[in-house]
Amino acid sequence: ALAGIDPAHAAADQVQPIAELLVRNAQKISTGPDQATYSHLLESAQKYLADSRMPKDEAKALQAKLIEPGVITQYQRTQAIEVPEGPAKAFAAVFPPEQKPAGPFTPFVVKGKSFTLTPVTVADPKGLYPLDMPASSVVYLTTTVTAPAAESAQLAAGSDDGLQIWLNGKSVLSKNVDRGLIADKNKQIVSLQSGANVLLLKVDNHGDGSGVQARLRMRVGEFAPDEILGPANKAKINI
């Protein structure tokens, strides 16, 4: 019932308790069968967390609890690298990060301009991250995921626009498309090695918005019930 109450109609001293309750309940059903209710709770919780009367530190901590299983929230990214030949050439343009896609990734220069990788944190529960890229440009992002053992996992990702992903130096996903950002749009079974696994993502932007999202799930408990008999089962992901 609280999910149906707009924060504007809640007393100031009730904003935080309601936010905490909504977050707690959203967590409980995030991978359950009732995804419609989960989406409703998630939307309501985010509205309360964004309310100006919500203490900033508490809002940040609660927001972190809403992150869905496997969502990647920590990256190192480059600034946009412009491709003057036009959007049609951006997907195929090759810059230093993808010349050694397993890393390590160090500062580099393109046409006299220096580029470094800087850390970013994604707050969106589904991992949606706007990149604010100009038209006809590319951005590289990298992260390292630790696996307890060599195992299969499901990599899911979305992008605006084109997307290429390498895992430990091997190309595992390539989509030369013009589209908006939708979470988990593409799904691919991948093989992880025990210990550190390096992901490199490349997004190319045609224009009118840009962004990326990725998640890597290794356990059956990280999937919603309607997903378990599909990709999670095919990947022989561990229980």
Side-chain angles (χ1 to χ4, degrees):
L2 289 174
I5 301 175
D6 190 274
H9 298 145
D13 62 351
Q14 290 300 307
V15 172
Q16 184 172 340
I18 292 174
E20 291 172 349
L21 184 60
L22 291 171
V23 169
R24 187 160 59 247
N25 282 278
Q27 282 182 288
K28 289 179 181 178
I29 65 171
S30 64
T31 56
D34 192 350
Q35 289 297 293
T37 298
Y38 166 67
S39 296
H40 183 50
L41 282 173
L42 181 61
E43 181 181 2
S44 184
Q46 289 181 289
K47 287 181 180 178
Y48 274 86
L49 294 177
D51 191 279
S52 60
R53 296 167 295 173
M54 184 73 193
K56 291 184 179 180
D57 289 344
E58 284 77 359
K60 184 177 180 180
L62 288 171
Q63 184 73 30
K65 292 181 179 180
L66 287 175
I67 300 298
E68 295 184 5
V71 164
I72 295 173
T73 61
Q74 302 293 326
Y75 295 97
Q76 297 275 334
R77 63 158 288 182
T78 68
Q79 292 303 305
I81 306 169
E82 295 189 19
V83 182
E85 294 81 4
K89 299 293 185 180
F91 183 85
V94 177
F95 298 103
E98 67 181 279
Q99 292 172 350
K100 293 184 178 180
F105 303 106
T106 56
F108 59 95
V109 176
V110 175
K111 295 182 179 179
K113 183 176 180 179
S114 298
F115 293 87
T116 59
L117 284 89
T118 57
V120 294
T121 299
V122 180
D124 181 79
K126 294 183 179 295
L128 300 173
Y129 176 53
L131 287 168
D132 299 320
M133 301 165 61
S136 186
S137 66
V138 305
V139 162
Y140 292 93
L141 306 96
T142 183
T143 191
T144 300
V145 178
T146 301
E151 57 189 331
S152 296
Q154 185 200 75
L155 172 66
S159 64
D160 182 353
D161 292 290
L163 176 65
Q164 298 174 67
I165 302 180
W166 295 262
L167 173 63
N168 296 325
K170 179 182 177 182
S171 175
V172 292
L173 196 152
S174 181
K175 296 292 177 181
N176 187 4
V177 292
D178 186 337
R179 64 185 181 185
L181 179 58
I182 299 174
D184 301 340
K185 181 67 174 178
N186 303 119
K187 297 176 181 178
Q188 178 67 43
I189 302 303
V190 297
S191 297
L192 302 178
Q193 62 190 18
S194 178
N197 292 268
V198 177
L199 280 168
L200 176 67
L201 295 80
K202 176 186 178 183
V203 180
D204 66 275
N205 183 40
H206 298 178
D208 297 326
S210 58
V212 70
Q213 175 266 349
R215 72 195 301 191
L216 195 63
R217 290 178 283 181
M218 312 175 204
R219 298 289 182 270
V220 167
E222 297 176 318
F223 292 83
D226 62 345
E227 298 178 286
I228 292 175
L229 296 180
N233 187 48
K234 292 178 182 178
K236 299 180 181 179
I237 290 173
N238 294 327
I239 296 176

